[in-house]
Amino acid sequence: MPLSLDTHIFGSKGPRKITILLYNVEKPIHPLKENETIIEEWRAGRATDLIEIKNKTPVYNEESKIYSLALLENHAIQPSHKNFQLVITNGD
């Protein structure tokens, strides 16, 4: 399972971004070009047989000065930088 994680430099502001790529078993898998990775193919826009899953982007709350994420059914009891929710972004 390829994973793309934007680098998070210590002291930088804002949440991390995660992208997960999975093969869609309902579509035929085409072979990669020689010396090409799945991530390179995805970045070039040729990954039509992959499911793209990303973390839901939190919203910055100006009043409390934190990023917050409205999770389904309020599963998170306490705010944490570890809270995240994954969503399919290219649902075919």
Side-chain angles (χ1 to χ4, degrees):
M1 166 179 58
L3 173 70
S4 171
L5 178 63
D6 288 354
T7 56
H8 190 272
I9 301 169
F10 291 112
S12 67
K13 305 274 187 203
R16 296 179 190 199
K17 295 180 182 177
I18 300 171
T19 301
I20 300 168
L21 303 172
L22 300 172
Y23 277 110
N24 186 343
V25 296
E26 295 177 355
K27 292 186 176 183
I29 298 173
H30 68 279
L32 297 174
K33 293 182 179 180
E34 190 174 334
N35 297 324
E36 186 175 48
T37 67
I38 293 171
I39 292 177
E40 290 169 339
E41 183 174 281
W42 169 71
R43 287 182 177 151
R46 295 187 303 271
T48 57
D49 55 348
L50 296 176
I51 297 172
E52 181 180 292
I53 303 171
K54 292 188 176 197
N55 63 313
K56 196 172 185 181
T57 306
V59 178
Y60 187 73
N61 183 324
E62 197 60 52
E63 185 178 313
S64 60
K65 306 290 186 213
I66 61 169
Y67 285 91
S68 62
L69 184 61
L71 296 173
L72 293 175
E73 300 176 24
N74 295 320
H75 287 290
I77 297 170
Q78 301 223 350
S80 171
H81 65 280
K82 298 175 187 175
N83 292 342
F84 68 96
Q85 182 178 11
L86 298 175
V87 292
I88 296 174
T89 57
N90 68 338
D92 290 332

